[in-house]
PDB file of all heavy atoms in Angstrom:
ATOM      1  N   ALA A   1     147.632  15.932  25.110  1.00 64.00           N
ATOM      2  CA  ALA A   1     148.611  16.105  26.189  1.00 64.00           C
ATOM      3  C   ALA A   1     148.034  16.780  27.418  1.00 64.00           C
ATOM      4  O   ALA A   1     148.751  17.158  28.315  1.00 64.00           O
ATOM      5  CB  ALA A   1     149.787  16.868  25.691  1.00 64.00           C
ATOM      6  N   GLY A   2     146.742  16.944  27.511  1.00 64.00           N
ATOM      7  CA  GLY A   2     146.137  17.538  28.688  1.00 64.00           C
ATOM      8  C   GLY A   2     145.443  18.845  28.366  1.00 64.00           C
ATOM      9  O   GLY A   2     145.515  19.372  27.269  1.00 64.00           O
ATOM     10  N   ARG A   3     144.774  19.340  29.395  1.00 65.00           N
ATOM     11  CA  ARG A   3     144.051  20.623  29.253  1.00 65.00           C
ATOM     12  C   ARG A   3     144.558  21.562  30.345  1.00 65.00           C
ATOM     13  O   ARG A   3     145.206  21.134  31.284  1.00 65.00           O
ATOM     14  CB  ARG A   3     142.548  20.395  29.333  1.00 65.00           C
ATOM     15  CG  ARG A   3     142.064  19.883  30.661  1.00 65.00           C
ATOM     16  CD  ARG A   3     140.537  19.617  30.645  1.00 65.00           C
ATOM     17  NE  ARG A   3     140.016  19.430  31.943  1.00 65.00           N
ATOM     18  CZ  ARG A   3     139.939  18.261  32.560  1.00 65.00           C
ATOM     19  NH1 ARG A   3     140.373  17.160  31.984  1.00 65.00           N
ATOM     20  NH2 ARG A   3     139.423  18.179  33.793  1.00 65.00           N
ATOM     21  N   THR A   4     144.218  22.797  30.235  1.00 75.00           N
ATOM     22  CA  THR A   4     144.668  23.793  31.207  1.00 75.00           C
ATOM     23  C   THR A   4     144.325  23.354  32.604  1.00 75.00           C
ATOM     24  O   THR A   4     143.209  22.939  32.919  1.00 75.00           O
ATOM     25  CB  THR A   4     143.960  25.153  30.919  1.00 75.00           C
ATOM     26  OG1 THR A   4     144.263  25.533  29.589  1.00 75.00           O
ATOM     27  CG2 THR A   4     144.443  26.223  31.898  1.00 75.00           C
ATOM     28  N   GLY A   5     145.307  23.357  33.465  1.00 78.00           N
ATOM     29  CA  GLY A   5     145.140  22.931  34.870  1.00 78.00           C
ATOM     30  C   GLY A   5     145.305  21.435  35.036  1.00 78.00           C
ATOM     31  O   GLY A   5     145.350  20.951  36.155  1.00 78.00           O
ATOM     32  N   HIS A   6     145.380  20.691  33.962  1.00 72.00           N
ATOM     33  CA  HIS A   6     145.530  19.225  34.035  1.00 72.00           C
ATOM     34  C   HIS A   6     146.501  18.761  32.976  1.00 72.00           C
ATOM     35  O   HIS A   6     146.227  17.813  32.237  1.00 72.00           O
ATOM     36  CB  HIS A   6     144.163  18.539  33.833  1.00 72.00           C
ATOM     37  CG  HIS A   6     143.157  18.929  34.839  1.00 72.00           C
ATOM     38  ND1 HIS A   6     143.122  18.406  36.096  1.00 72.00           N
ATOM     39  CD2 HIS A   6     142.145  19.855  34.776  1.00 72.00           C
ATOM     40  CE1 HIS A   6     142.117  18.952  36.771  1.00 72.00           C
ATOM     41  NE2 HIS A   6     141.528  19.832  35.998  1.00 72.00           N
ATOM     42  N   LEU A   7     147.620  19.436  32.881  1.00 72.00           N
ATOM     43  CA  LEU A   7     148.603  19.101  31.856  1.00 72.00           C
ATOM     44  C   LEU A   7     149.262  17.759  32.164  1.00 72.00           C
ATOM     45  O   LEU A   7     149.378  17.350  33.332  1.00 72.00           O
ATOM     46  CB  LEU A   7     149.652  20.192  31.734  1.00 72.00           C
ATOM     47  CG  LEU A   7     149.120  21.554  31.277  1.00 72.00           C
ATOM     48  CD1 LEU A   7     150.222  22.581  31.240  1.00 72.00           C
ATOM     49  CD2 LEU A   7     148.439  21.440  29.913  1.00 72.00           C
ATOM     50  N   THR A   8     149.683  17.100  31.137  1.00 70.00           N
ATOM     51  CA  THR A   8     150.326  15.805  31.255  1.00 70.00           C
ATOM     52  C   THR A   8     151.672  15.946  31.978  1.00 70.00           C
ATOM     53  O   THR A   8     152.513  16.740  31.555  1.00 70.00           O
ATOM     54  CB  THR A   8     150.554  15.207  29.870  1.00 70.00           C
ATOM     55  OG1 THR A   8     149.302  15.093  29.205  1.00 70.00           O
ATOM     56  CG2 THR A   8     151.231  13.857  29.941  1.00 70.00           C
ATOM     57  N   PRO A   9     151.880  15.185  33.028  1.00 76.00           N
ATOM     58  CA  PRO A   9     153.206  15.218  33.688  1.00 76.00           C
ATOM     59  C   PRO A   9     154.223  14.506  32.808  1.00 76.00           C
ATOM     60  O   PRO A   9     153.863  13.643  32.015  1.00 76.00           O
ATOM     61  CB  PRO A   9     152.983  14.477  34.999  1.00 76.00           C
ATOM     62  CG  PRO A   9     151.759  13.679  34.765  1.00 76.00           C
ATOM     63  CD  PRO A   9     150.945  14.325  33.707  1.00 76.00           C
ATOM     64  N   GLN A  10     155.463  14.878  32.954  1.00 81.00           N
ATOM     65  CA  GLN A  10     156.523  14.245  32.156  1.00 81.00           C
ATOM     66  C   GLN A  10     157.430  13.464  33.078  1.00 81.00           C
ATOM     67  O   GLN A  10     157.655  13.823  34.229  1.00 81.00           O
ATOM     68  CB  GLN A  10     157.294  15.291  31.395  1.00 81.00           C
ATOM     69  CG  GLN A  10     156.439  16.001  30.375  1.00 81.00           C
ATOM     70  CD  GLN A  10     157.234  17.000  29.544  1.00 81.00           C
ATOM     71  OE1 GLN A  10     158.444  17.041  29.601  1.00 81.00           O
ATOM     72  NE2 GLN A  10     156.522  17.763  28.739  1.00 81.00           N
ATOM     73  N   GLY A  11     157.959  12.360  32.576  1.00 81.00           N
ATOM     74  CA  GLY A  11     158.848  11.520  33.336  1.00 81.00           C
ATOM     75  C   GLY A  11     158.620  10.055  33.008  1.00 81.00           C
ATOM     76  O   GLY A  11     157.922   9.719  32.065  1.00 81.00           O
ATOM     77  N   THR A  12     159.163   9.198  33.842  1.00 79.00           N
ATOM     78  CA  THR A  12     159.009   7.758  33.723  1.00 79.00           C
ATOM     79  C   THR A  12     158.286   7.254  34.930  1.00 79.00           C
ATOM     80  O   THR A  12     158.664   7.592  36.055  1.00 79.00           O
ATOM     81  CB  THR A  12     160.379   7.067  33.585  1.00 79.00           C
ATOM     82  OG1 THR A  12     161.055   7.587  32.437  1.00 79.00           O
ATOM     83  CG2 THR A  12     160.222   5.572  33.436  1.00 79.00           C
ATOM     84  N   PHE A  13     157.249   6.453  34.732  1.00 78.00           N
ATOM     85  CA  PHE A  13     156.417   6.008  35.828  1.00 78.00           C
ATOM     86  C   PHE A  13     156.114   4.517  35.728  1.00 78.00           C
ATOM     87  O   PHE A  13     156.076   3.955  34.650  1.00 78.00           O
ATOM     88  CB  PHE A  13     155.079   6.789  35.845  1.00 78.00           C
ATOM     89  CG  PHE A  13     155.282   8.257  35.929  1.00 78.00           C
ATOM     90  CD1 PHE A  13     155.433   9.025  34.797  1.00 78.00           C
ATOM     91  CD2 PHE A  13     155.388   8.892  37.165  1.00 78.00           C
ATOM     92  CE1 PHE A  13     155.631  10.404  34.847  1.00 78.00           C
ATOM     93  CE2 PHE A  13     155.592  10.262  37.253  1.00 78.00           C
ATOM     94  CZ  PHE A  13     155.729  11.008  36.081  1.00 78.00           C
ATOM     95  N   SER A  14     155.852   3.919  36.883  1.00 79.00           N
ATOM     96  CA  SER A  14     155.402   2.529  36.915  1.00 79.00           C
ATOM     97  C   SER A  14     153.886   2.518  36.756  1.00 79.00           C
ATOM     98  O   SER A  14     153.193   3.484  37.105  1.00 79.00           O
ATOM     99  CB  SER A  14     155.763   1.896  38.256  1.00 79.00           C
ATOM    100  OG  SER A  14     157.145   1.828  38.421  1.00 79.00           O
ATOM    101  N   THR A  15     153.380   1.430  36.206  1.00 80.00           N
ATOM    102  CA  THR A  15     151.942   1.287  36.027  1.00 80.00           C
ATOM    103  C   THR A  15     151.388   0.278  37.028  1.00 80.00           C
ATOM    104  O   THR A  15     152.109  -0.563  37.538  1.00 80.00           O
ATOM    105  CB  THR A  15     151.607   0.828  34.604  1.00 80.00           C
ATOM    106  OG1 THR A  15     152.208  -0.435  34.354  1.00 80.00           O
ATOM    107  CG2 THR A  15     152.085   1.853  33.579  1.00 80.00           C
ATOM    108  N   TYR A  16     150.113   0.398  37.331  1.00 88.00           N
ATOM    109  CA  TYR A  16     149.405  -0.520  38.236  1.00 88.00           C
ATOM    110  C   TYR A  16     147.925  -0.406  37.911  1.00 88.00           C
ATOM    111  O   TYR A  16     147.521   0.494  37.181  1.00 88.00           O
ATOM    112  CB  TYR A  16     149.705  -0.197  39.688  1.00 88.00           C
ATOM    113  CG  TYR A  16     149.213   1.181  40.108  1.00 88.00           C
ATOM    114  CD1 TYR A  16     147.975   1.331  40.684  1.00 88.00           C
ATOM    115  CD2 TYR A  16     149.980   2.320  39.857  1.00 88.00           C
ATOM    116  CE1 TYR A  16     147.516   2.603  41.049  1.00 88.00           C
ATOM    117  CE2 TYR A  16     149.533   3.566  40.198  1.00 88.00           C
ATOM    118  CZ  TYR A  16     148.292   3.718  40.790  1.00 88.00           C
ATOM    119  OH  TYR A  16     147.839   4.952  41.133  1.00 88.00           O
ATOM    120  N   GLY A  17     147.119  -1.266  38.439  1.00 89.00           N
ATOM    121  CA  GLY A  17     145.657  -1.159  38.288  1.00 89.00           C
ATOM    122  C   GLY A  17     145.260  -1.265  36.834  1.00 89.00           C
ATOM    123  O   GLY A  17     145.089  -0.274  36.144  1.00 89.00           O
ATOM    124  N   TYR A  18     145.102  -2.487  36.338  1.00 89.00           N
ATOM    125  CA  TYR A  18     144.719  -2.722  34.948  1.00 89.00           C
ATOM    126  C   TYR A  18     143.245  -3.109  34.908  1.00 89.00           C
ATOM    127  O   TYR A  18     142.810  -4.006  35.617  1.00 89.00           O
ATOM    128  CB  TYR A  18     145.576  -3.853  34.379  1.00 89.00           C
ATOM    129  CG  TYR A  18     147.054  -3.538  34.495  1.00 89.00           C
ATOM    130  CD1 TYR A  18     147.784  -3.892  35.629  1.00 89.00           C
ATOM    131  CD2 TYR A  18     147.713  -2.850  33.478  1.00 89.00           C
ATOM    132  CE1 TYR A  18     149.127  -3.566  35.734  1.00 89.00           C
ATOM    133  CE2 TYR A  18     149.047  -2.532  33.592  1.00 89.00           C
ATOM    134  CZ  TYR A  18     149.752  -2.876  34.731  1.00 89.00           C
ATOM    135  OH  TYR A  18     151.072  -2.572  34.840  1.00 89.00           O
ATOM    136  N   TYR A  19     142.456  -2.403  34.090  1.00 91.00           N
ATOM    137  CA  TYR A  19     141.001  -2.571  34.036  1.00 91.00           C
ATOM    138  C   TYR A  19     140.538  -2.773  32.603  1.00 91.00           C
ATOM    139  O   TYR A  19     140.962  -2.058  31.708  1.00 91.00           O
ATOM    140  CB  TYR A  19     140.289  -1.348  34.607  1.00 91.00           C
ATOM    141  CG  TYR A  19     140.834  -0.864  35.944  1.00 91.00           C
ATOM    142  CD1 TYR A  19     141.770   0.138  35.984  1.00 91.00           C
ATOM    143  CD2 TYR A  19     140.420  -1.460  37.130  1.00 91.00           C
ATOM    144  CE1 TYR A  19     142.288   0.580  37.200  1.00 91.00           C
ATOM    145  CE2 TYR A  19     140.896  -1.027  38.347  1.00 91.00           C
ATOM    146  CZ  TYR A  19     141.851  -0.004  38.358  1.00 91.00           C
ATOM    147  OH  TYR A  19     142.347   0.424  39.549  1.00 91.00           O
ATOM    148  N   ASP A  20     139.601  -3.709  32.418  1.00 93.00           N
ATOM    149  CA  ASP A  20     138.955  -3.858  31.132  1.00 93.00           C
ATOM    150  C   ASP A  20     138.093  -2.625  30.864  1.00 93.00           C
ATOM    151  O   ASP A  20     138.105  -2.047  29.784  1.00 93.00           O
ATOM    152  CB  ASP A  20     138.117  -5.133  31.097  1.00 93.00           C
ATOM    153  CG  ASP A  20     137.604  -5.438  29.704  1.00 93.00           C
ATOM    154  OD1 ASP A  20     138.344  -5.194  28.720  1.00 93.00           O
ATOM    155  OD2 ASP A  20     136.478  -5.906  29.586  1.00 93.00           O
ATOM    156  N   TRP A  21     137.333  -2.195  31.881  1.00 92.00           N
ATOM    157  CA  TRP A  21     136.540  -0.968  31.865  1.00 92.00           C
ATOM    158  C   TRP A  21     136.773  -0.220  33.153  1.00 92.00           C
ATOM    159  O   TRP A  21     136.875  -0.862  34.216  1.00 92.00           O
ATOM    160  CB  TRP A  21     135.051  -1.265  31.749  1.00 92.00           C
ATOM    161  CG  TRP A  21     134.622  -1.747  30.401  1.00 92.00           C
ATOM    162  CD1 TRP A  21     134.435  -3.053  30.024  1.00 92.00           C
ATOM    163  CD2 TRP A  21     134.342  -0.972  29.247  1.00 92.00           C
ATOM    164  NE1 TRP A  21     134.057  -3.102  28.714  1.00 92.00           N
ATOM    165  CE2 TRP A  21     133.982  -1.842  28.212  1.00 92.00           C
ATOM    166  CE3 TRP A  21     134.341   0.417  28.996  1.00 92.00           C
ATOM    167  CZ2 TRP A  21     133.635  -1.408  26.945  1.00 92.00           C
ATOM    168  CZ3 TRP A  21     133.996   0.845  27.726  1.00 92.00           C
ATOM    169  CH2 TRP A  21     133.653  -0.049  26.715  1.00 92.00           C
ATOM    170  N   CYS A  22     136.874   1.095  33.099  1.00 90.00           N
ATOM    171  CA  CYS A  22     137.073   1.877  34.311  1.00 90.00           C
ATOM    172  C   CYS A  22     136.181   3.108  34.282  1.00 90.00           C
ATOM    173  O   CYS A  22     136.154   3.866  33.318  1.00 90.00           O
ATOM    174  CB  CYS A  22     138.545   2.313  34.420  1.00 90.00           C
ATOM    175  SG  CYS A  22     138.939   3.150  35.957  1.00 90.00           S
ATOM    176  N   TYR A  23     135.418   3.286  35.358  1.00 90.00           N
ATOM    177  CA  TYR A  23     134.563   4.476  35.491  1.00 90.00           C
ATOM    178  C   TYR A  23     135.463   5.668  35.825  1.00 90.00           C
ATOM    179  O   TYR A  23     136.296   5.595  36.721  1.00 90.00           O
ATOM    180  CB  TYR A  23     133.524   4.249  36.618  1.00 90.00           C
ATOM    181  CG  TYR A  23     132.578   5.383  36.773  1.00 90.00           C
ATOM    182  CD1 TYR A  23     131.545   5.585  35.851  1.00 90.00           C
ATOM    183  CD2 TYR A  23     132.674   6.302  37.819  1.00 90.00           C
ATOM    184  CE1 TYR A  23     130.646   6.615  35.974  1.00 90.00           C
ATOM    185  CE2 TYR A  23     131.777   7.338  37.963  1.00 90.00           C
ATOM    186  CZ  TYR A  23     130.766   7.497  37.043  1.00 90.00           C
ATOM    187  OH  TYR A  23     129.875   8.537  37.169  1.00 90.00           O
ATOM    188  N   MET A  24     135.261   6.746  35.083  1.00 85.00           N
ATOM    189  CA  MET A  24     136.132   7.903  35.259  1.00 85.00           C
ATOM    190  C   MET A  24     135.377   9.068  35.928  1.00 85.00           C
ATOM    191  O   MET A  24     134.152   9.083  35.998  1.00 85.00           O
ATOM    192  CB  MET A  24     136.703   8.314  33.909  1.00 85.00           C
ATOM    193  CG  MET A  24     137.544   7.180  33.289  1.00 85.00           C
ATOM    194  SD  MET A  24     138.418   7.606  31.795  1.00 85.00           S
ATOM    195  CE  MET A  24     137.106   7.911  30.647  1.00 85.00           C
ATOM    196  N   VAL A  25     136.112  10.049  36.381  1.00 82.00           N
ATOM    197  CA  VAL A  25     135.556  11.178  37.175  1.00 82.00           C
ATOM    198  C   VAL A  25     134.516  12.000  36.438  1.00 82.00           C
ATOM    199  O   VAL A  25     133.703  12.631  37.069  1.00 82.00           O
ATOM    200  CB  VAL A  25     136.681  12.112  37.703  1.00 82.00           C
ATOM    201  CG1 VAL A  25     137.590  11.363  38.666  1.00 82.00           C
ATOM    202  CG2 VAL A  25     137.456  12.736  36.580  1.00 82.00           C
ATOM    203  N   ASP A  26     134.523  11.976  35.115  1.00 84.00           N
ATOM    204  CA  ASP A  26     133.564  12.787  34.356  1.00 84.00           C
ATOM    205  C   ASP A  26     132.310  11.985  34.000  1.00 84.00           C
ATOM    206  O   ASP A  26     131.488  12.480  33.222  1.00 84.00           O
ATOM    207  CB  ASP A  26     134.223  13.365  33.103  1.00 84.00           C
ATOM    208  CG  ASP A  26     134.603  12.288  32.100  1.00 84.00           C
ATOM    209  OD1 ASP A  26     134.575  11.087  32.435  1.00 84.00           O
ATOM    210  OD2 ASP A  26     134.969  12.687  30.979  1.00 84.00           O
ATOM    211  N   GLY A  27     132.151  10.786  34.541  1.00 89.00           N
ATOM    212  CA  GLY A  27     130.969   9.980  34.270  1.00 89.00           C
ATOM    213  C   GLY A  27     131.053   9.122  33.031  1.00 89.00           C
ATOM    214  O   GLY A  27     130.113   8.450  32.674  1.00 89.00           O
ATOM    215  N   THR A  28     132.215   9.101  32.403  1.00 88.00           N
ATOM    216  CA  THR A  28     132.413   8.246  31.240  1.00 88.00           C
ATOM    217  C   THR A  28     133.184   7.015  31.675  1.00 88.00           C
ATOM    218  O   THR A  28     133.604   6.897  32.816  1.00 88.00           O
ATOM    219  CB  THR A  28     133.178   8.979  30.115  1.00 88.00           C
ATOM    220  OG1 THR A  28     134.476   9.322  30.623  1.00 88.00           O
ATOM    221  CG2 THR A  28     132.421  10.215  29.644  1.00 88.00           C
ATOM    222  N   TYR A  29     133.355   6.085  30.739  1.00 89.00           N
ATOM    223  CA  TYR A  29     134.127   4.852  30.978  1.00 89.00           C
ATOM    224  C   TYR A  29     135.276   4.806  30.025  1.00 89.00           C
ATOM    225  O   TYR A  29     135.154   5.156  28.860  1.00 89.00           O
ATOM    226  CB  TYR A  29     133.245   3.608  30.784  1.00 89.00           C
ATOM    227  CG  TYR A  29     132.215   3.455  31.870  1.00 89.00           C
ATOM    228  CD1 TYR A  29     130.977   4.113  31.777  1.00 89.00           C
ATOM    229  CD2 TYR A  29     132.461   2.660  32.991  1.00 89.00           C
ATOM    230  CE1 TYR A  29     130.021   3.970  32.761  1.00 89.00           C
ATOM    231  CE2 TYR A  29     131.523   2.550  33.991  1.00 89.00           C
ATOM    232  CZ  TYR A  29     130.289   3.202  33.866  1.00 89.00           C
ATOM    233  OH  TYR A  29     129.356   3.084  34.857  1.00 89.00           O
TER     234      TYR A  29
END
């Protein structure tokens, strides 16, 4: 559910941007 300072937000959201692979901010995929 997240880590300190980056907790999971709660609510209902729309999705967009669907990727087979996505490069993430920490250098992983």
